[in-house]
Amino acid sequence: MKKYLVYILTVMTMVVFGLALNATAEEGVTDTEIHIGQWGPQTGPAAPWGAVARGTDAYFKMINADGGIHGRKLIHHYFDDAYNPAKTKAGVKQLQEDTGMFAWVSGVGTAPGLAVKDYLMERKILWVGPSAGSRHWLEPANKYLFNTYPLYLGDAELLTKYAVETLKLKKIAVVYQNDDYGKQGLEGCEAELKKQGLELAIGLPMNVADVDMKPHIMKLKNSDAQAVLLFVGPGHVARLQGTGKAMQFEPQWMTSTTCGDHPLMMAITKGLYAGTISAAFGLMDPTNIGDIADFNKPTLPAMVKFYNDGYKKFAAKEERWGSTFAAGMGYVEPLIEALKRVGRDVTREKVVAELEKIQNFKSAMGTVSYTAFDANDPLCRIGQQEVFLVRAEPDGTSTILTNWYKTTYIPSGH
Amino acid sequence: MVEFLQMVLSGIAVGSSYALMGLGMVLIYKASEVPNFVQGEMALLPVFISFMLLTSYNVPYYIAFPATLIFAFLLGCFLEFGILRRAKEPNVLGLIIITIGMEMILLGFVSWKFGADQRAMPFPISSYDSIIIGDIFISTLDMLTLVVALVIMLSMFLFFRFSKTGVAMKATQMNENAAALMGIKTKQIRMVAWGISSMVGCVAGLLMAPILVEPYMMWDPMLKGFSGAVVGGMTSLPGAVFGAYIVGIVEHLFGGYVSLEFKSVVAFVIIVIVLCIKPSGLFARHYVKKV
Amino acid sequence: MDMKRDYYEDVRIFTSGAVIFWTGILLLLLAIFPFVAKNYYVYVVNFMAINVIVVVGLNILVGYTGQISMGHAGFFAIGAYGTIVLMTQAHFPFLLALPSAGLIAAFIGFLLGLPALRLEGPYLAIATLGFGITTTQIIGKIQMFGERQGLHAPDLIIGGWHIKTDKDFYFLLIPITIAMVIIARNIIKTKVGRAFISIRDADIAASTIGVNLTYYKTLAFAVSAFYAAVGGGLYAFVLRFIEPELFSMFMSVTFLTMVVVGGLGSIMGSVAGACLLGFLDLQLRNILEIPYFGDWIRMLSESYFTLTGASNIQLIVFGLILIVIMLFEPLGIFGMWIRSKKYWLAWPF
C-alpha cells in the first residue's frame, strides 16, 4: 500500500508542477524576457544567406537598447544549421524543448523550413517571416505561420511584364536554379508571357554546383533572347554575366530579389551588373520613379534607424551592410509590431490575433496585411504581395523603375 | 558546325583547368598512393592569400603571384611532412580520411578568416575580353589558361626527363626500396612531389579566381580533375591531361546537344564506360596482380 | 584467452559471461533512456542509430570485402524515397515498404557491383561517387518523387500503434538497429563472411580455392545497399521531409568516414564510429556555447579572423578529430579499444 502511495504522490506532484509551470506564463515569456529562435546557415555553401540571422540579432539588440517591448527584452537564440534540414530540426528541437521559444522568426531556406514546419505547427508555435518565398508556407495556410517574403512568382511576373510592356522586348528567356526558387521563377514568367500572348524563348536549368556557364550562354545566344531572367544565386549571376560578356552576348539581364544587393553585385561582377534590372521587396522607397536610391545611404525611417542604432552599434566589425543583413529586420517587423500592440499580456493566441489585425503595415518592406485564418485561403497568411523594380547603376546605386506593384498569386499546380 | 566547334573549343578551355587539377592529383597519387581530396583546398588557401595580398596590402601582381606559388609549395610540403607522414602503419582508406580531414580544416580556416561572401579578385587581364576567330569565341582568360596548362605540361615533361629530382621522383615511384638503395632520399622526394602538386593546383586556382572567389569554388574543378585523372589512369601524367580534356569536351557537347541538367554528371558516366573497357584507365598499364 | 577451439565457439554471440552482463546493461540503458533523457537527445540517438545501420552495412563492403564506395548516399536516397513512395502510392504498410525499398536498392547495388568487379581503388571510388551524384539528379527529375520540391513522409501507423513522437519512433528504430547489427555480425561469421574476407585479403587466392568472385563481390554490394536503404527509409521518418539535395556527396563521404574512423572490418567499431561522428555532426553547432573555449574562439575571431565566420570552427574541429584518430590508430576507434584492452589485461607488465 505504501508503495502505491509513493507512486500516487509522485504522479500528483508532477502534475501539479506541470500545471504550475503552464499556469505561470506562456512558454518562452517571463517577466523580463521574450525568447525568440532562428536558424540560418553560418557555414557551408549557403553561408552568405546567414547574414539574415545576424541582421535580426542586431535588430533585437537595438530594440533592447531602446528599452525592449513593454519592459521585456528580446532574447534572440540563433544557430548554424549549415542548410542541412537534419541539423535544423535538431537545433529547433533543442531550443524549443530545453529553453522554450515563444516564437521563431525567419529561418533561411525552403528545405530546412519544411523539415521543421510540421513540428512547429503541431505544437502551435508561432513562426513569422520564413526567409524564402515558397508556396509551401501557404498551401495549406497555417494558423501560426505568417509569411512576409513576397513569392518569387511575383518577381518573375513583374520583371516579365516590364520587359514586354515597357521595354517592348518579345523574346524572354529564363535561367533557373534547379529547385523550388528557380522553378517558381520559370512558372511566374511563363504565366505572365501567356497573358501577353508570347512564348518563352528558352528556359535553362542550372545546378547549384555548376561553375561553367558557356553552354548556357551558347543556348541563350542561339535563342536570340532579348531579355534574360536570372533565377539563380549571386555567384551564378556573376558567372553568367561574365561569360556572356566574353561571348559578346549582352541582353537585358533581369534578376530576382535575391540578387538585389547592388553594391555586392557590382563588386563581384566587376561592374558588369550595371544596367541589370532587379526586383526588390523593400528596404528602399520606390514612390518617386526615376529617383536614385543608394543602399549605403538609407532614406526610409526604419532603415535609417536600423543603420545607425542597429548595424553600427551591434554588428560585427567585418559585417557588410547588405540587403541580406538588412532583410533580417524586414522579415520580423510584423511580429515586433504585434508584440508592441498586444501589451504586457503576451500569449501566442493573443499575438496571433494581433497579427491578424495588421493591415497595410508598412515599414522597411512593402505593405503587409494579414486576415483572419482560413486554411483554404493562402492570402490570409501571405503578408506581402508587392514588389518593385530597380536598375543597377555603375556606382552601385539603384534607379527606381516602378512603384510598388501588387503581384498575382498563382496556386501551385496551375 | 560553328556551334560544334565552339563547344569543342569551350570544352578544351574548361578542360585546361581540369587538367591542371588532374595533374596535381596524379603527382600525389604516384608519390603517396592516395586519392588526394585536399587538392582543391590546397589551391584555395593560396588563392585567398593572394586575394588578401592584392586587396588589403596592395602588393603588385608580379610579387603577389610568385609569393602565392611559393606559399602553395610550402603548404603542400607541410601537409605531407607534418601530417600525412606521421600516420602510423597507414592504409589507403586511412590516408583518404586524413586528406578529407585536412580538407575540412583548410576550408574551415579559409571561411573563418575571410567570411562566406563572394568576392572579385583583381587580375592583370580582364576575364571578359575574348578573341574572335570567325564566329567562334574564346575568352582571353581561357586562352591564358590553355597556354599556361600547356607550358606546365611541357615543363613537367622536361622536369621528369632531364632534371635529377624528376628522375629521382620517377625512380621512387617505380620502386621505392631500390631507389632508396641508390641513395635517393625517398621521403624528401615525396614531400617535394606534394609541394609541386600543390603549386600546379594553385595555378589552376589563380586562373579560376578572376571570375569569382568563394570558399566552395574548388570542389567542382577538383572532382572533374579527379575524374579526368581516373579516365586517363591515375598513374599517367599525359593520361590525366588527356582525360581532363575528354571530360571537358564531352561535358560541353552533352550540355549543348542533350541536357544541361545532366551535364555535370555525364563525366561520371564516361568514367564508368571507359573503365569497363580499360579498368586502369586509358593510359596506365594494367597492373596484373599476382598471388 | 581468445583461442577458439571449434566453429560453434566462433559463431557464438556471447563469448563470455562478461559480454552477457554488459549486453544486458546496455539493453537496459537503451530501454530506460527515452524516459530519463530530454526529447532532443532521443532525436539525436535516433539519428545516430540510423547512421549505425548504414555504417555497419557499408563496413561489410569496405571493411570486410575491401571494396570502396563513395556513393552510399545514393542507396540511402533510394531507401528513403522508395519507402515513402511505396507507402503513399502503392499503399504498402511501413513494415513491408521498408524491406521492399531495401530490396530495390539491393538490386541496384547488384547492378553497380557488376562494373565494380573490374575496378578497384581510386577507380572504384570515383565510379561509385558518380553513382551517388547521378542518383540524386535522376530523383530530382521524377514527378512521382516530387522532383526538386521534396516529399513529406506519411503518417506512420503500425497495427494500431500511431508513431508520432521521437520517443515512439525510438522504440521502433532501436530494435531494428539491434537486429540489423546482429544480422551483419552473423553474415560475417558464416561462409559468406569468410568469402568476403578472403576476397579482401587476396582475391585471386580466394578464387583459386573456389570462392566465386562475381557472386560474392556483387553480393557484398547488394547487402550493403540493402543496409543503406533501410537506414534511408527510417531517416525519412525521422526527418519527415526529404528532398534530393539532402543526399549529397558530403553524406556519402561522411558515411565512409564513419566506417574508417570506427575501424575497418569491425562491427562494434562501426557502431562506435557512427555514434561518435553522428553525434558530433549534429552537436558541433553548439561549439561556440562551450564555456571558456567559445569565448576564446570569439576573442580570437575578433582579433585575427572574422566573427561572422566563427562557426566554421566546427569544420576545423571535425577535421582535427578525424586526423588525430587516423594518425595514431589506423584501425580507428576499434583499434584503440583493442590496444587499451591488451594493455589492461597484461597490466602491470
Side-chain angles (χ1 to χ4, degrees):
Chain A
M1 201 54 212
K2 245 184 188 170
K3 227 177 177 180
Y4 281 103
L5 207 66
V6 173
Y7 281 149
I8 290 165
L9 271 177
T10 329
V11 169
M12 271 180 67
T13 28
M14 276 168 79
V15 168
V16 168
F17 262 100
L19 283 177
L21 281 175
N22 271 332
T24 46
E26 185 80 354
E27 188 181 17
V29 180
T30 68
D31 258 0
T32 52
E33 292 170 345
I34 301 176
H35 292 263
I36 293 176
Q38 182 173 7
W39 63 90
Q42 307 296 322
T43 61
W49 305 120
V52 173
R54 303 195 295 270
T56 312
D57 196 55
Y59 177 54
F60 284 1
K61 282 182 178 151
M62 177 181 101
I63 292 174
N64 290 342
D66 292 348
I69 296 173
H70 299 295
R72 289 197 179 95
K73 300 252 181 253
L74 298 174
I75 310 294
H76 187 220
H77 304 260
Y78 76 93
F79 67 91
D80 169 36
D81 66 343
Y83 210 88
N84 177 347
K87 290 187 193 177
T88 319
K89 200 164 186 179
V92 168
K93 271 177 198 268
Q94 189 175 28
L95 281 173
Q96 190 63 49
E97 287 159 17
D98 287 8
T99 319
M101 296 294 117
F102 172 71
W104 290 82
V105 290
S106 196
V108 171
T110 310
L114 278 175
V116 296
K117 189 184 94 177
D118 291 349
Y119 175 82
L120 292 178
M121 292 307 115
E122 276 164 17
R123 282 164 189 71
K124 305 188 174 178
I125 296 161
L126 193 55
W127 178 18
V128 179
S131 167
S134 171
R135 280 176 294 202
H136 286 292
W137 315 141
L138 305 167
E139 293 176 10
N142 293 284
K143 190 176 176 196
Y144 299 91
L145 171 46
F146 290 80
N147 185 54
T148 45
Y149 200 124
L151 296 184
Y152 306 119
L153 283 169
D155 298 9
E157 180 192 342
L158 181 58
L159 287 167
T160 314
K161 195 178 165 74
Y162 188 82
V164 175
E165 289 180 1
T166 314
L167 300 177
K168 309 282 179 221
L169 302 176
K170 295 269 172 280
K171 295 206 158 181
I172 317 286
V174 183
V175 181
Y176 60 95
Q177 190 164 306
N178 223 336
D179 59 11
D180 188 39
Y181 157 56
K183 291 265 166 78
Q184 267 192 48
L186 180 69
E187 194 185 330
C189 177
E190 277 177 326
E192 179 62 25
L193 282 175
K194 206 170 167 191
K195 251 190 246 167
Q196 303 277 358
L198 292 172
E199 286 275 322
L200 186 70
I202 193 168
L204 298 175
M206 162 100 67
N207 292 322
V208 183
D210 284 355
V211 287
D212 177 24
M213 303 289 127
K214 290 188 199 81
H216 297 83
I217 296 294
M218 266 197 57
K219 289 205 163 183
L220 286 173
K221 219 174 160 178
N222 286 342
S223 75
D224 290 323
Q226 295 161 313
V228 181
L229 271 62
L230 302 177
F231 278 77
V232 292
H236 280 135
V237 170
R239 287 176 195 280
L240 276 166
Q241 291 192 329
T243 314
K245 170 91 178 165
M247 294 176 82
Q248 296 190 350
F249 174 66
E250 292 173 81
Q252 176 62 56
W253 298 107
M254 302 182 123
T255 59
S256 68
T257 46
T258 51
C259 303
D261 195 331
H262 291 173
L264 171 80
M265 294 309 298
M266 289 300 289
I268 65 173
T269 57
K270 294 183 182 170
L272 284 184
Y273 201 69
T276 303
I277 294 172
S278 67
F281 51 55
L283 314 179
M284 285 184 255
D285 181 13
T287 30
N288 298 320
I289 294 169
D291 265 12
I292 303 278
D294 187 348
F295 191 75
N296 290 318
K297 296 188 192 95
T299 52
L300 278 177
M303 290 289 284
V304 175
K305 178 159 172 50
F306 182 47
Y307 183 71
N308 292 326
D309 298 350
Y311 169 69
K312 286 208 168 155
K313 286 186 191 155
F314 298 110
K317 67 174 190 294
E318 69 281 350
E319 185 76 63
R320 204 174 48 83
W321 170 249
S323 65
T324 318
F325 181 83
M329 168 181 72
Y331 302 144
V332 303
E333 270 186 323
L335 175 67
I336 302 303
E337 177 66 19
L339 281 173
K340 279 180 186 159
R341 289 185 191 178
V342 81
R344 270 299 283 178
D345 186 15
V346 178
T347 65
R348 287 193 188 117
E349 295 301 327
K350 284 187 177 155
V351 173
V352 166
E354 281 304 328
L355 274 165
E356 284 177 349
K357 280 185 217 151
I358 286 184
Q359 291 296 322
N360 300 325
F361 169 74
K362 200 162 200 161
S363 178
M365 308 266 286
T367 312
V368 176
S369 307
Y370 301 106
T371 53
F373 175 64
D374 171 8
N376 298 318
D377 175 22
L379 298 182
C380 72
R381 287 291 182 269
I382 196 167
Q384 183 181 357
Q385 267 185 289
E386 295 181 333
V387 284
F388 61 92
L389 297 185
V390 287
R391 186 177 63 225
E393 297 301 331
D395 58 352
T397 57
S398 329
T399 307
I400 308 290
L401 293 183
T402 70
N403 204 333
W404 288 111
Y405 172 82
K406 191 170 179 192
T407 59
T408 352
Y409 182 82
I410 310 170
S412 52
H414 282 262
Chain B
M1 193 58 201
V2 172
E3 200 174 305
F4 178 77
L5 283 177
Q6 174 74 60
M7 281 178 202
V8 172
L9 203 62
S10 304
I12 291 175
V14 72
S16 301
S17 47
Y18 296 168
L20 289 175
M21 294 305 287
L23 275 180
M25 296 212 79
V26 168
L27 276 173
I28 285 180
Y29 189 72
K30 283 169 80 144
S32 301
E33 296 204 352
V34 54
N36 180 21
F37 282 86
V38 72
Q39 191 74 41
E41 273 62 28
M42 254 159 51
L44 183 75
L45 182 59
V47 166
F48 268 87
I49 297 279
S50 105
F51 173 78
M52 190 174 75
L53 287 177
L54 289 170
T55 54
S56 307
Y57 298 97
N58 292 319
V59 179
Y61 295 117
Y62 55 86
I63 300 178
F65 287 164
T68 306
L69 289 179
I70 293 169
F71 176 76
F73 182 82
L74 294 177
L75 177 71
C77 290
F78 168 75
L79 290 183
E80 202 282 329
F81 177 78
I83 302 179
L84 208 73
R85 192 184 291 179
R86 306 294 149 196
K88 262 187 355 190
E89 317 152 37
N91 57 35
V92 179
L93 277 164
L95 291 181
I96 289 181
I97 300 304
I98 291 178
T99 64
I100 290 174
M102 295 197 282
E103 187 266 327
M104 290 177 138
I105 292 177
L106 289 182
L107 186 61
F109 183 82
V110 167
S111 320
W112 188 15
K113 175 76 198 164
F114 297 95
D117 271 343
Q118 294 104 342
R119 290 145 205 272
M121 171 117 153
F123 203 70
I125 63 163
S126 159
S127 45
Y128 306 144
D129 292 337
S130 37
I131 301 164
I132 305 161
I133 316 157
D135 284 333
I136 297 172
F137 294 86
I138 179 159
S139 77
T140 39
L141 185 67
D142 285 343
M143 200 69 203
L144 181 70
T145 313
L146 186 62
V147 172
V148 169
L150 290 176
V151 168
I152 287 184
M153 289 162 210
L154 190 69
S155 42
M156 226 37 135
F157 172 75
L158 295 176
F159 174 75
F160 278 109
R161 194 71 191 260
F162 298 108
S163 84
K164 225 171 175 177
T165 325
V167 175
M169 258 184 200
K170 256 175 32 181
T172 311
Q173 179 240 326
M174 276 176 183
N175 189 332
E176 201 179 325
N177 291 335
L181 286 172
M182 295 299 119
I184 295 172
K185 291 180 174 159
T186 50
K187 282 185 175 173
Q188 278 182 21
I189 289 292
R190 194 173 294 153
M191 187 172 86
V192 172
W194 273 71
I196 294 176
S197 158
S198 171
M199 220 154 71
V200 173
C202 174
V203 171
L206 283 176
L207 288 165
M208 278 173 240
I211 301 175
L212 200 66
V213 185
E214 55 185 338
Y216 283 81
M217 63 187 250
M218 296 307 286
W219 256 109
D220 192 60
M222 191 275 278
L223 275 186
K224 296 293 161 56
F226 189 10
S227 317
V230 165
V231 169
M234 272 306 272
T235 51
S236 152
L237 289 172
V241 174
F242 186 76
Y245 281 122
I246 288 188
V247 168
I249 292 170
V250 171
E251 235 183 39
H252 271 256
L253 290 177
F254 192 83
Y257 290 120
V258 190
S259 153
L260 268 182
E261 252 172 314
F262 286 92
K263 178 188 140 234
S264 52
V265 298
V266 75
F268 300 106
V269 180
I270 312 174
I271 291 174
V272 172
I273 295 171
V274 168
L275 293 183
C276 282
I277 303 163
K278 292 205 70 169
S280 297
L282 290 173
F283 282 72
R285 202 175 314 135
H286 190 51
Y287 165 73
V288 182
K289 230 192 298 187
K290 294 177 186 139
V291 180
Chain C
M1 66 194 171
D2 269 359
M3 173 89 98
K4 303 274 188 333
R5 284 174 199 80
D6 61 15
Y7 176 64
Y8 294 99
E9 223 169 289
D10 187 44
V11 295
R12 217 158 48 185
I13 287 183
F14 303 113
T15 42
S16 67
V19 175
I20 296 180
F21 175 73
W22 287 114
T23 314
I25 296 273
L26 179 72
L27 287 178
L28 194 70
L29 283 178
L30 281 173
I32 60 168
F33 173 76
F35 298 106
V36 291
K38 284 176 178 156
N39 185 40
Y40 164 70
Y41 290 100
V42 178
Y43 171 79
V44 173
V45 169
N46 283 347
F47 193 80
M48 279 156 48
I50 285 165
N51 283 332
V52 166
I53 295 178
V54 179
V55 171
V56 165
L58 186 57
N59 204 352
I60 293 178
L61 182 70
V62 179
Y64 287 104
T65 320
Q67 314 278 306
I68 186 172
S69 167
M70 300 195 84
H72 259 51
F75 297 122
F76 199 67
I78 292 170
Y81 274 95
T83 310
I84 289 190
V85 169
L86 284 176
M87 283 174 75
T88 52
Q89 309 278 332
H91 302 289
F92 277 35
F94 176 76
L95 287 181
L96 185 61
L98 187 68
S100 310
L103 287 176
I104 295 169
F107 179 69
I108 296 171
F110 160 74
L111 292 182
L112 182 71
L114 289 177
L117 284 174
R118 284 167 65 93
L119 307 179
E120 56 186 3
Y123 305 97
L124 186 56
I126 201 92
T128 47
L129 199 148
F131 164 76
I133 297 178
T134 316
T135 309
T136 50
Q137 286 280 345
I138 292 172
I139 286 174
K141 282 295 277 182
I142 299 175
Q143 184 120 44
M144 193 169 67
F145 291 171
E147 293 181 331
R148 296 274 163 175
Q149 315 274 327
L151 279 183
H152 278 278
D155 280 347
L156 188 53
I157 301 166
I158 297 173
W161 184 27
H162 194 153
I163 299 176
K164 274 185 87 89
T165 62
D166 291 319
K167 214 177 275 180
D168 293 344
F169 199 74
Y170 176 92
F171 287 111
L172 174 70
L173 178 57
I174 295 299
I176 295 181
T177 309
I178 293 173
M180 294 298 273
V181 171
I182 292 175
I183 292 170
R185 186 198 171 275
N186 285 350
I187 290 176
I188 295 307
K189 290 288 178 190
T190 53
K191 179 186 165 197
V192 180
R194 288 192 297 277
F196 287 163
I197 294 170
S198 68
I199 290 173
R200 173 191 70 191
D201 291 343
D203 52 354
I204 295 174
S207 72
T208 56
I209 56 166
V211 174
N212 185 339
L213 286 190
T214 316
Y215 176 72
Y216 283 108
K217 273 190 179 177
T218 48
L219 183 68
F221 261 97
V223 168
S224 82
F226 181 83
Y227 269 80
V230 168
L234 293 162
Y235 181 77
F237 286 89
V238 168
L239 210 54
R240 301 209 140 263
F241 166 74
I242 51 171
E243 52 123 24
E245 291 293 314
L246 272 178
F247 308 97
S248 64
M249 200 190 93
F250 297 97
M251 188 183 244
S252 302
V253 172
T254 315
F255 287 147
L256 185 66
T257 311
M258 287 171 180
V259 171
V260 181
V261 167
L264 287 169
S266 147
I267 298 281
M268 282 340 271
S270 288
V271 174
C275 289
L276 176 73
L277 296 191
F279 181 74
L280 285 177
D281 192 28
L282 276 190
Q283 204 58 23
L284 268 181
R285 77 192 135 75
N286 291 334
I287 195 160
L288 290 175
E289 320 271 298
I290 299 174
Y292 304 113
F293 179 75
D295 297 332
W296 180 68
I297 291 292
R298 281 217 180 84
M299 218 175 64
L300 206 65
S301 308
E302 250 174 68
S303 326
Y304 302 105
F305 295 89
T306 59
L307 255 184
T308 52
S311 299
N312 286 291
I313 191 76
Q314 296 171 55
L315 279 176
I316 299 181
V317 170
F318 202 92
L320 273 177
I321 291 173
L322 294 188
I323 290 184
V324 167
I325 292 179
M326 291 327 293
L327 279 190
F328 294 108
E329 191 49 74
L331 271 182
I333 300 172
F334 179 68
M336 288 178 183
W337 160 245
I338 292 290
R339 208 173 277 228
S340 51
K341 193 163 105 176
K342 270 190 190 152
Y343 176 82
W344 286 111
L345 282 176
W347 195 83
F349 298 102

